Amino acid sequence: MTQDIHGSRRQFLAAAGGLAAATVITPALAQGTAAAPSLPPLIGRSTDTLIPRGKVPRVVICGGGWGGVTAAKYLRQYAPHLEVVLLERNPVFFSCPMSNKWLVDVVDTAYLTHDYLAVSEKYGYRFIQTEILEIERDRKRVITAAGALDYHYLILSPGIRYNYEAWFGNDRRMAEATKARFPAAYIPSAEHFRLKQSLQDFKGGTLVMTLPPPPQRCPPSPYERACLIASMFKHKNIPGRILILDHKDGVRPIGPGFRSAFEELYKDIITYVPNAHVQEVDPFRKHIKTAAGDFDFDHAILMAPHQAGDLAWKAGVVPQAGQGKPGGWADVDPLFLHDRNDKDVYVIGDAVGFVSPQFAFYPKAGHVANRQARIVARYIAEREAGRTPDFALPDNLCFMMVNTQPQEGISVQFDYKVNDQGIIEQRQMDFNERSPATIPEDFNWARLIYEDLFS
Ligand SMILES: Cc1cc2nc3c(=O)[nH]c(=O)nc-3n(C[C@H](O)[C@H](O)[C@H](O)COP(=O)(O)OP(=O)(O)OC[C@H]3O[C@@H](n4cnc5c(N)ncnc54)[C@H](O)[C@@H]3O)c2cc1C
């Protein structure tokens, strides 16, 4: 009897973790000849099953940014019988829209951050904070740092990556140094905090901003950022000069509105340099060579070209460049947003590639990502109901603050329709006149769209 009790206690300890035994370094382990120590069962490994296959079809959403969060909520509303899992590496949602205002203290951090768990509980989807490592299309499986899970439908909303290869080839040291010292802060991450701190510490001198070539995330926002930093320099008497090195031949969109802000409000602070194709960047010597000249800088916001986020590449939805279409973005059906060869894999948000010979790419905007997410959620719900979905198109609306004292802004709006030839057409309206009336509209837009994602 005594022996039994001791025996089952030993078994229980082993089953419940076996930590004491497993972590003793035996001579065999030290020499690397023994099996690796077992882990407590709830510490996930990428080889474990994260969530077993259930009885209902599962939608796995990769990336919990503007597209991903919206898709999760609307899928639960349109097709409540589906299991929905949202995978995201960040612990909290950090909004890039409105973040230029945060850089200069017009809004605070709480304004930009939102709670993933609260919204996932409210709408009944599963939020898992983990790094997505691989996507196995042949097995319909997503591999994460915490384990693997199968999908029936996959929605990719991975945002963008910085194409440092265009500047440095495979020189990781240069890429890492550039990212650490002169972050672009265009991807929700610690970069934003790094940039904000560096601006607060900036005592004066030349601040260079390189602007990526199109297509890029939120094309007007670098000009907004330049204006707001210039406004901060002006009002804090910081002897700073901002050099905007633009790949394009002119400011677009809302060009006249931004140009008049540069000239009328920040004449001694902002210098705009068009056609400044970046040729060499040296983050150690603080030197940049462009097609429009060479420049030394004291500080910089170095934005490398943008491409679809890493996950789109890992999922195999990014083709080589060719046939007149620039590479680096997901090749999707322009109307239904699924991978050309796989109707169960959708791509939404900034990662979406060429959609029209008239305007090429949708603006890479949170507003568009939100609209595409709702549209794709509807497509999946219709398919699940046994119906063939009708296509729907997004719209876009974007407000840019160009002055802080007084607060003034400009804006741009886009509408889309399909013409008789089946081509998507874009209509763009720029509102170039700087006006305080744009500011409440901007904050109202942000309130409504944050509510759409999180309330
Ligand atoms: C300064 C600035 C200002 C902007 N202003 C506006 C504006 O005023 N209006 C507007 O509409 N848009 C604006 N935008 C653009 C907007 O931020 C993007 O268009 C929008 O975020 C795109 O949504 P998305 O879902 O495609 O990508 P994201 O919102 O970037 O979401 C992608 C998510 O995927 C996650 N992810 C990626 N890889 C992995 C992985 N391997 N594992 C786990 N998670 C992963 C990321 O962490 C991220 O949360 C602005 C952007 C910037 C930078």
Side-chain angles (χ1 to χ4, degrees):
M1 184 66 186
T2 317
Q3 257 184 343
D4 276 344
I5 289 170
H6 286 157
S8 53
R9 189 163 167 265
R10 268 198 302 273
Q11 279 161 13
F12 169 77
L13 281 174
L19 281 183
T23 48
V24 171
I25 308 291
T26 64
L29 252 185
Q31 287 165 21
T33 54
S38 60
L39 293 173
L42 295 185
I43 296 182
R45 278 184 295 208
S46 59
T47 46
D48 294 343
T49 299
L50 181 59
I51 313 173
R53 189 173 298 176
K55 291 197 176 74
V56 298
R58 176 186 293 155
V59 187
V60 175
I61 305 170
C62 294
W66 281 70
V69 172
T70 313
K73 169 181 161 178
Y74 279 91
L75 271 166
R76 291 291 301 145
Q77 292 193 338
Y78 296 158
H81 70 286
L82 291 176
E83 181 191 356
V84 177
V85 183
L86 176 63
L87 304 171
E88 164 60 43
R89 62 157 70 100
N90 290 335
V92 289
F93 179 97
F94 182 90
S95 173
C96 284
M98 312 302 273
S99 68
N100 285 333
K101 299 176 187 72
W102 169 82
L103 281 178
V104 297
D105 291 329
V106 172
V107 298
D108 62 12
T109 308
Y111 185 79
L112 298 184
T113 50
H114 299 269
D115 181 349
Y116 280 121
L117 288 173
V119 65
S120 65
E121 274 169 21
K122 179 166 180 187
Y123 290 99
Y125 61 86
R126 203 183 302 210
F127 170 75
I128 300 177
Q129 189 204 340
T130 185
E131 182 74 21
I132 303 157
L133 303 177
E134 299 294 339
I135 293 171
E136 297 180 345
R137 291 274 296 279
D138 50 344
R139 297 173 71 185
K140 296 190 93 166
R141 257 171 34 130
V142 178
I143 314 291
T144 80
L149 69 170
D150 296 338
Y151 64 81
H152 190 91
Y153 300 101
L154 183 70
I155 300 181
L156 297 167
S157 193
I160 58 160
R161 73 184 291 270
Y162 303 130
N163 176 14
Y164 284 120
E165 291 90 343
W167 287 356
F168 305 121
N170 62 0
D171 189 337
R172 261 177 206 275
R173 179 173 158 267
M174 292 293 267
E176 288 303 326
T178 301
K179 195 170 170 188
R181 293 169 189 217
F182 307 113
Y186 259 66
I187 292 174
S189 66
E191 284 177 43
H192 290 267
F193 293 86
R194 189 79 198 258
L195 174 59
K196 182 163 181 163
Q197 187 61 53
S198 72
L199 291 175
Q200 284 172 351
D201 296 343
F202 189 74
K203 298 286 180 288
T206 301
L207 173 73
V208 153
M209 290 176 68
T210 60
L211 270 52
Q216 87 228 59
R217 169 166 279 186
C218 196
S221 59
Y223 308 120
E224 177 191 56
R225 188 180 278 183
C227 288
L228 294 182
I229 296 172
S231 181
M232 182 179 85
F233 286 174
K234 190 165 144 183
H235 297 294
K236 290 189 173 174
N237 290 321
I238 296 167
R241 184 169 163 246
I242 300 172
L243 263 181
I244 304 176
L245 304 182
D246 199 346
H247 185 98
K248 296 195 294 250
D249 59 4
V251 179
R252 283 192 297 281
I254 350 175
F258 280 118
R259 290 304 296 250
S260 69
F262 298 165
E263 282 146 28
E264 292 165 19
L265 303 175
Y266 312 116
K267 198 170 178 33
D268 301 329
I269 302 177
I270 292 181
T271 304
Y272 177 75
V273 183
N275 298 311
H277 308 188
V278 173
Q279 293 169 339
E280 277 176 39
V281 176
D282 189 333
F284 298 103
R285 286 177 47 235
K286 299 188 189 173
H287 185 77
I288 186 157
K289 188 169 157 38
T290 77
D294 295 5
F295 304 90
D296 290 314
F297 54 84
D298 299 292
H299 190 36
I301 301 173
L302 297 180
M303 300 182 206
H306 295 168
Q307 293 182 327
D310 295 8
L311 281 178
W313 298 77
K314 289 185 173 180
V317 296
V318 180
Q320 297 294 316
Q323 297 173 334
K325 297 177 189 173
W329 303 94
D331 189 24
V332 294
D333 179 282
L335 296 181
F336 290 99
L337 299 174
H338 56 68
D339 177 74
R340 296 259 183 200
N341 306 312
D342 187 344
K343 289 193 172 164
D344 293 342
V345 174
Y346 291 91
V347 184
I348 56 175
D350 288 3
V352 169
F354 184 93
V355 290
S356 166
Q358 190 225 1
F359 61 93
F361 294 82
Y362 284 124
K364 299 195 176 298
H367 189 103
V368 173
N370 166 269
R371 297 305 195 252
Q372 289 175 334
R374 288 161 60 157
I375 289 167
V376 161
R378 176 71 75 193
Y379 289 162
I380 292 175
E382 287 290 293
R383 286 177 60 186
E384 279 294 304
R387 292 187 290 265
T388 305
D390 283 337
F391 72 83
L393 299 176
D395 63 302
N396 190 29
L397 188 57
C398 188
F399 299 93
M400 292 282 121
M401 188 183 272
V402 293
N403 193 10
T404 57
Q405 294 183 26
Q407 291 187 353
E408 294 175 307
I410 54 181
S411 65
V412 59
Q413 193 178 322
F414 298 85
D415 296 322
Y416 298 92
K417 65 170 191 187
V418 173
N419 71 16
D420 296 342
Q421 288 83 48
I423 289 170
I424 306 175
E425 279 182 3
Q426 173 177 275
R427 188 171 61 118
Q428 175 176 343
M429 283 162 287
D430 288 7
F431 299 93
N432 288 293
E433 197 173 330
R434 207 164 59 239
S435 163
T438 309
I439 303 305
E441 289 180 48
D442 187 2
F443 280 92
N444 195 41
W445 171 84
R447 182 180 62 76
L448 291 174
I449 207 152
Y450 288 149
E451 277 176 16
D452 195 46
L453 270 71
F454 293 101
S455 301

